[in-house]
Amino acid sequence: MKFFIHHQPSGLTSVRFEGEFEAGARVALLGHSGAGKTTLMRYLSGLERRGSVRIETGAGKNPVPWRSDVVYLHQSPIMFAHHRVEQTMAFAQRFARQEQLPIRRWADMLELTELWSRPCTELSGGQQQRVALLRGLMTGKPWLLLDEAFSALDGARLLRACDVVEDFCRLTGAGLILASHQDRPQRILCNEAYVVNHLSGQHEPNLFTALNRRAGEPRKTTLKVEAEHTEHGFLRTDCGGVPLYVAVPERWREGSARVSIAAGDVSIAIGAEHQTSMVNRLPVNVQQISDWEGRVLLSLSIGSQTLEAIISKFSAERLALQVHQPVFAEFKVGAVEWNGQIECTESV
Amino acid sequence: MIADALWLTVRLALTTSVLLILLCLPLAAWLATTRSRLKPWVEALVALPLVLPPTVLGFYLLLFMSPNQGVGRWWFEQFDQTLAFSFWGLVLGSMVYSLPFVLQPLQRTLEAQGRGLSETAYTLGANRWQTFLSIRLPLAIPGFVAAFVLGVAHTVGEFGVVLMIGGNIPGQTQVLSILLFDQVESLNYALAHRLSAGLVVTSLLVLVGLYRWNRHATVRVGT
């Protein structure tokens, strides 16, 4: 998808987006509130056309929204108040570009099956969000634009919704552009970032660096691991030759996976000192030591990947940490966030 | 006499309201979504009958229906009768007079649906026409009912315009409000009371029915 959007409303900030997303790309749209993420998505989906606009997809140049290759889910799910869930799905089905999508399975995963005959307006916010998501997927369009589409979901439902989106993108080869204030869906589903600021934007090659930079988010490291098997009631994964244990997710398979660890959850140990409550104990090397909001931020290398830890100045002085020093990064199983198993096309 | 006036009033009110609904639907849909600079002008023009004395409207309509020019002449040539002082002349006058009462509820209903509703349908793949028929129109049913009922009630209650362009011809242009005026002028207060009380009760019942429907419809569509 190529896009060129220039618009100068009188007396307002100009809109200036240019770039290209490869077919099937998984893009996290990053930026603070009001930066212009929704504006960009509305232009890409053909719903906004003011200014000098050129959007090129497989559907041609600047197609009208109903012929566009993009399905866009609004920030707040919009329900057709005269529809029951099955009717709203049937409505989307009328315009579906792909048959044979596993809608029933996705409906089960999203816990919508039992809501099938309920009026859409009687559903809770989270239920409406799941209905809107499934309705959007039914179109089978080549681009899925999700604008805070997971904001009312959390815990297992959030993960299952991510699984459904992942299934959709894998089966159809669809691209994904995802704006979300929660960083977890983006860590699970995306491979690249596009940072929006003051109604313009630029590509950010390293999604996870960009996510970690995001103001207001606790710093997290996302690691690429290989899921192996369950052991001692945990899922054992391999992280650069070292075992890393994760709480067993609802769905998993052997192979490539992503996990995230908040920097504040990582403790540093030297030598044989080992807190027994810390199931995970990874040998790492100190790469960099820096100040971070009155504490100490450590960049730790683990194989070719980097893990971050935030410790107190007192601990850093007590441990007398130095660059290149071998130490152990310790953290509980509960501190490891499972981020799904989409194919990792880049080093995370 | 009363039966003739009642039947004429009912025919006039229903014909006027049905034709107005058909006329106002595309106009309301356009007004609800357009960003055109013409919009305030069109809205003001449509709302004129709310502020103009009925006699002004009646006067211009009478000129408009004159058999010596324009539409009035065409009508005379086609049907060999004048448009003024005929049933269809009354329908035309009533349509002009009741236009804002039908258009505005429809327009407000369609405006209240918001852009997001249509946009969601578009992005799912429905074009404008499919969106209108499958989504916007069914959701606008409460507005249609309100517009229709207001159109009927307002047409039943009109007096000045009807008197100007229809006169007072029993069985042809003498509607209930004109008959009532006639009875008062003849000092026949007993019949005038019956007609007035009948109109008051009927209007009250219609409005109670409308408000009850509105409440039911609001709950049903969840707005």
Side-chain angles (χ1 to χ4, degrees):
Chain A
M1 176 195 288
K2 284 185 188 168
F3 54 97
F4 174 92
I5 302 158
H6 281 192
H7 178 43
Q8 175 64 70
S10 58
L12 299 172
T13 312
S14 62
V15 181
R16 200 175 185 86
F17 294 108
E18 290 174 42
E20 181 174 0
F21 298 133
E22 295 293 328
R26 309 282 192 90
V27 184
L29 215 52
L30 305 181
H32 56 79
S33 291
K37 302 189 290 294
T38 298
T39 302
L40 174 59
M41 287 180 144
R42 289 180 58 81
Y43 270 107
L44 295 180
S45 54
L47 295 172
E48 188 62 67
R49 306 168 81 91
R50 280 177 290 183
S52 172
V53 178
R54 197 170 64 241
I55 310 289
E56 289 179 32
T57 62
K61 197 173 116 182
N62 292 350
V64 287
W66 48 90
R67 292 210 189 95
S68 141
D69 274 350
V70 173
V71 60
Y72 169 64
L73 267 64
H74 289 77
Q75 280 193 9
S76 303
I78 292 173
M79 295 288 105
F80 304 134
H82 59 308
H83 279 173
R84 296 190 302 276
V85 173
E86 58 188 319
Q87 290 173 308
T88 213
M89 295 304 166
F91 178 73
Q93 184 73 52
R94 279 171 59 187
F95 313 105
R97 295 189 184 179
Q98 299 201 28
E99 305 291 331
Q100 312 293 331
L101 292 176
I103 301 299
R104 278 285 161 193
R105 178 156 59 91
W106 292 342
D108 285 342
M109 288 169 69
L110 293 169
E111 299 173 65
L112 294 178
T113 313
E114 62 272 27
L115 306 177
W116 216 242
S117 55
R118 291 265 300 276
C120 291
T121 48
E122 287 182 9
L123 305 178
S124 69
Q127 288 169 335
Q128 290 190 349
Q129 213 159 43
R130 284 179 276 144
V131 167
L133 177 62
L134 184 61
R135 188 177 61 185
L137 300 186
M138 287 182 81
T139 62
K141 287 189 175 185
W143 283 96
L144 180 61
L145 271 57
L146 303 182
D147 195 353
E148 302 290 349
F150 302 116
S151 59
L153 307 180
D154 52 19
R157 287 199 174 115
L158 173 62
L159 289 182
R160 280 198 286 271
C162 289
D163 281 343
V164 167
V165 171
E166 157 58 17
D167 246 11
F168 171 79
C169 292
R170 190 168 41 80
L171 283 174
T172 63
L176 170 71
I177 300 176
L178 172 60
S180 169
H181 280 95
Q182 305 160 284
D183 72 340
R184 196 167 184 192
Q186 294 173 326
R187 287 182 192 273
I188 293 174
L189 290 168
C190 299
N191 281 329
E192 58 186 280
Y194 188 81
V195 180
V196 178
N197 197 15
H198 295 301
L199 295 169
S200 64
Q202 62 180 41
H203 272 98
E204 167 62 57
N206 194 322
L207 166 68
F208 300 102
T209 305
L211 281 172
N212 282 343
R213 248 199 331 257
R214 188 152 72 171
E217 291 283 348
R219 294 183 73 99
K220 276 184 191 170
T221 306
T222 298
L223 297 173
K224 179 183 173 185
V225 297
E226 293 289 321
E228 292 179 335
H229 53 83
T230 54
E231 188 177 286
H232 311 306
F234 303 123
L235 172 62
R236 179 183 156 127
T237 68
D238 178 272
C239 181
V242 180
L244 190 156
Y245 293 95
V246 184
V248 182
E250 200 172 272
R251 295 175 80 209
W252 70 275
R253 61 177 189 277
E254 280 184 29
S256 178
R258 291 174 181 178
V259 295
S260 292
I261 302 131
D265 290 335
V266 179
S267 299
I268 301 299
I270 296 177
E273 294 173 25
H274 180 210
Q275 295 186 48
T276 51
S277 63
M278 302 289 193
V279 171
N280 288 305
R281 180 174 161 87
L282 275 55
V284 294
N285 273 297
V286 178
Q287 265 186 336
Q288 195 177 348
I289 304 171
S290 52
D291 280 344
W292 191 80
E293 295 183 1
R295 291 187 285 168
V296 176
L297 173 66
L298 303 175
S299 291
L300 309 164
S301 64
I302 171 167
S304 59
Q305 305 188 76
T306 302
L307 174 68
E308 288 186 333
I310 294 171
I311 60 174
S312 66
K313 284 188 172 171
F314 174 77
S315 297
E317 285 167 12
R318 186 173 60 84
L319 293 167
L321 293 175
Q322 294 177 353
V323 174
H324 303 309
Q325 181 180 356
V327 295
F328 289 97
E330 296 184 343
F331 43 92
K332 295 178 180 177
V333 167
V336 185
E337 188 180 272
W338 177 255
N339 285 165
Q341 292 191 275
I342 75 165
E343 293 302 319
C344 298
T345 56
E346 60 156 330
S347 165
V348 294
Chain B
M1 183 171 58
I2 296 179
D4 285 346
L6 181 63
W7 173 232
L8 179 64
T9 304
V10 169
R11 270 200 307 149
L12 178 64
L14 293 180
T15 308
T16 300
S17 300
V18 168
L19 291 177
L20 271 179
I21 289 280
L22 294 175
L23 174 75
C24 290
L25 179 58
L27 186 57
W30 179 75
L31 286 171
T33 52
T34 186
R35 291 173 180 166
S36 167
R37 289 178 185 174
L38 287 176
K39 182 180 173 179
W41 287 94
V42 175
E43 285 181 316
L45 200 63
V46 165
L48 264 183
L50 291 174
V51 294
L52 280 179
T55 43
V56 173
L57 279 180
F59 172 64
Y60 282 117
L61 281 167
L62 204 55
L63 293 181
F64 179 73
M65 293 178 192
S66 161
N68 299 323
Q69 56 188 344
V71 174
R73 182 163 60 192
W74 175 84
W75 184 274
F76 189 78
E77 286 168 3
Q78 296 299 313
F79 301 103
D80 199 23
Q81 64 172 32
T82 58
L83 185 54
F85 307 105
S86 73
F87 174 74
W88 289 105
L90 285 188
V91 169
L92 187 59
S94 300
M95 283 178 67
V96 172
Y97 189 49
S98 296
L99 182 63
F101 290 85
V102 175
L103 180 74
Q104 288 183 355
L106 280 180
Q107 184 185 339
R108 299 291 168 256
T109 301
L110 294 173
E111 279 173 347
Q113 291 176 351
R115 271 193 316 179
L117 197 72
S118 296
E119 288 180 354
T120 300
Y122 294 160
T123 194
L124 290 173
N127 63 27
R128 283 185 204 282
W129 186 239
Q130 290 162 330
T131 299
F132 190 73
L133 282 184
S134 301
I135 304 296
R136 298 188 69 199
L137 205 55
L139 287 172
I141 284 174
F144 274 92
V145 173
F148 185 79
V149 171
L150 282 174
V152 167
H154 192 248
T155 307
V156 168
E158 75 183 68
F159 175 76
V161 172
V162 173
L163 190 64
M164 291 285 283
I165 62 177
N168 184 5
I169 308 170
Q172 284 187 44
T173 61
Q174 189 185 57
V175 293
L176 280 176
S177 56
I178 304 289
L179 177 62
L180 170 61
F181 175 71
D182 207 27
Q183 298 310 308
V184 173
E185 277 211 314
S186 314
L187 303 179
N188 187 358
Y189 284 5
L191 183 56
H193 267 308
R194 290 218 305 276
L195 288 170
S196 300
L199 281 171
V200 168
V201 171
T202 308
S203 301
L204 184 66
L205 290 177
V206 165
L207 289 175
V208 168
L210 175 63
Y211 285 122
R212 282 175 63 92
W213 159 265
N214 268 346
R215 198 173 59 171
H216 158 77
T218 303
V219 171
R220 195 175 64 84
V221 302
T223 51

